[in-house]
Amino acid sequence: MITVVLAQPRGFCAGVERAIEIVERALRKYGPPIYVRHEIVHNRHVVEDLRKRGAIFVDELDEIPRGAITVFSAHGVAKRVEEAAAERGLPVINATCPLVAKVHNEGRRYAAQNREIVLVGHAGHAEVEGTIGQVPAKVHLVQTVEDVATLEVADPDKLAYITQTTLSVDDTRGIIQALKDRFPNIVGPDVRDICYATQNRQQAVRDLAHTVDLLLVVGSRNSSNSNRLREIGQELGKPSYLIDDAHALEAAWFEGIRTVGLTAGASAPETLVQGVLDGLRRIDTIEVTAQDGVAEDVRFRFPAELADVE
């Protein structure tokens, strides 16, 4: 028999729930098709489900007919994207996570102080590209402590840093310390501004890894926070697998395994977690228990045009 311990918290965060609900409400209010620039969240199952219901996902705005209802994803977009949508006459519903929007506002505030900005994040991530495009200042992207050593800035005394929301305090601590060591007058947000959901899910996995033999993370390959959860399990010495769903399970993983930790990235729905439990039951008898952890009750408001849609 295998004991499966469910991480708490796991799965959808408030920003993801809001973004998905925005697309669902838009479909109910305006009818299909609704056009969404990029994946609304980084989960293949969520995207496929919305596609079946009439959402059309596009890479660029020129793929959207003029005047069609358009949704921007939870990751946020650059200013130039907003301007291009206005030029094309696209009625836009903005599903940017409020915590991402908060980072944009911080960046603009520092830019207004004539500071160059250091953004701690992953190159190519949709949120990073959107943030860089929202800040009217020179933005330096750093991904590692080593990157800090090679930074070239105009004025070391006029610097500020901001961070990608899907990185936790632990992910960024070393880089921020390196920035402060090299640029003593750098300013930045309080650590309390780090995304609560990222921090909570990572802490749950750290606690879980001390009590289980193996870790399963439900999430898509292109999900930054899901990948990080798997990495944490690996760093703590436990075999750790990132899986899309139950179909990815391999019986060989569980030979000699007595306890399995099961979590999900912030963009993975609970139905996939329950599906993985069913998949594990096909491999062995399981007993399911829940980890003691943080209960999240954060909720974000919907855009005004959808606030009254049920």
Side-chain angles (χ1 to χ4, degrees), residues 13 43 46 62 65 76 115 146 180 198 218 233 252 260 270 277 296:
C13 63
N43 185 273
V46 169
D62 58 14
R115 296 179 185 272
E146 290 72 28
K180 289 179 176 178
T198 298
V218 181
V260 171
E270 180 64 15
L277 289 176
E296 296 174 346

Side-chain angles (χ1 to χ4, degrees), residues 8 26 41 52 64 95 132-133 199 205 229 244 255 265:
Q8 174 62 33
V41 296
K52 289 174 186 172
I64 303 174
I132 291 172
Q199 190 65 29
V205 165
L229 294 177
D244 262 326
E255 292 176 8

Side-chain angles (χ1 to χ4, degrees), residues 3 29 47 67 89 111 202 209 241 272 309:
T3 299
K29 180 172 182 175
V47 169
Q202 291 190 11
Y241 302 95
L272 296 181
V309 179

Side-chain angles (χ1 to χ4, degrees), residues 31-234:
I34 298 295
Y35 290 82
V36 185
R37 183 183 181 274
H38 293 174
E39 294 185 349
I40 186 69
V41 296
H42 284 157
N43 185 273
R44 180 173 60 84
H45 289 273
V46 169
V47 169
E48 286 302 319
D49 178 60
L50 292 173
R51 185 174 280 130
K52 289 174 186 172
R53 292 153 74 175
I56 297 176
F57 295 89
V58 300
D59 290 326
E60 299 302 337
L61 295 182
D62 58 14
E63 300 172 55
I64 303 174
R66 297 185 79 84
I69 301 293
T70 301
V71 177
F72 289 157
S73 80
H75 309 101
V77 300
K79 205 74 178 170
R80 60 174 176 76
V81 176
E82 295 176 342
E83 293 165 352
E87 288 171 9
R88 289 181 57 79
L90 300 176
V92 169
I93 303 170
N94 196 341
T96 299
C97 174
L99 296 180
V100 174
K102 184 177 183 181
V103 173
H104 294 173
N105 290 333
E106 288 168 345
R108 286 192 285 266
R109 178 165 58 86
Y110 292 135
Q113 298 168 1
N114 295 317
R115 296 179 185 272
E116 288 181 54
I117 314 294
V118 178
L119 172 58
V120 182
H122 296 149
H125 191 277
E127 181 189 330
V128 166
E129 292 180 350
T131 299
I132 291 172
Q134 281 285 345
V135 178
K138 174 68 176 176
V139 179
H140 305 269
L141 179 63
V142 298
Q143 303 185 79
T144 65
V145 169
E146 290 72 28
D147 290 343
V148 175
T150 60
L151 270 181
E152 295 182 9
V153 301
D155 184 349
D157 294 325
K158 298 289 283 184
L159 276 182
Y161 68 84
I162 53 179
T163 68
Q164 179 180 333
T165 63
T166 49
L167 302 179
S168 72
V169 173
D170 298 303
D171 294 331
T172 60
R173 183 181 286 114
I175 297 173
I176 290 171
Q177 188 57 54
L179 286 167
K180 289 179 176 178
D181 289 344
R182 187 170 174 210
F183 307 107
N185 292 324
I186 195 170
V187 297
D190 192 279
V191 292
R192 287 174 297 184
D193 287 351
I194 291 282
C195 172
Y196 76 93
T198 298
Q199 190 65 29
N200 289 348
R201 279 153 188 71
Q202 291 190 11
Q203 188 57 53
V205 165
R206 284 192 173 85
D207 295 341
L208 206 54
H210 295 303
T211 63
V212 300
D213 302 321
L214 178 147
L215 177 71
L216 296 175
V217 180
V218 181
S220 291
R221 299 279 167 192
N222 62 340
S223 167
S224 176
N225 73 86
S226 299
N227 276 286
R228 185 65 187 120
L229 294 177
R230 184 200 62 77
E231 289 169 1
I232 289 170
Q234 206 83 42

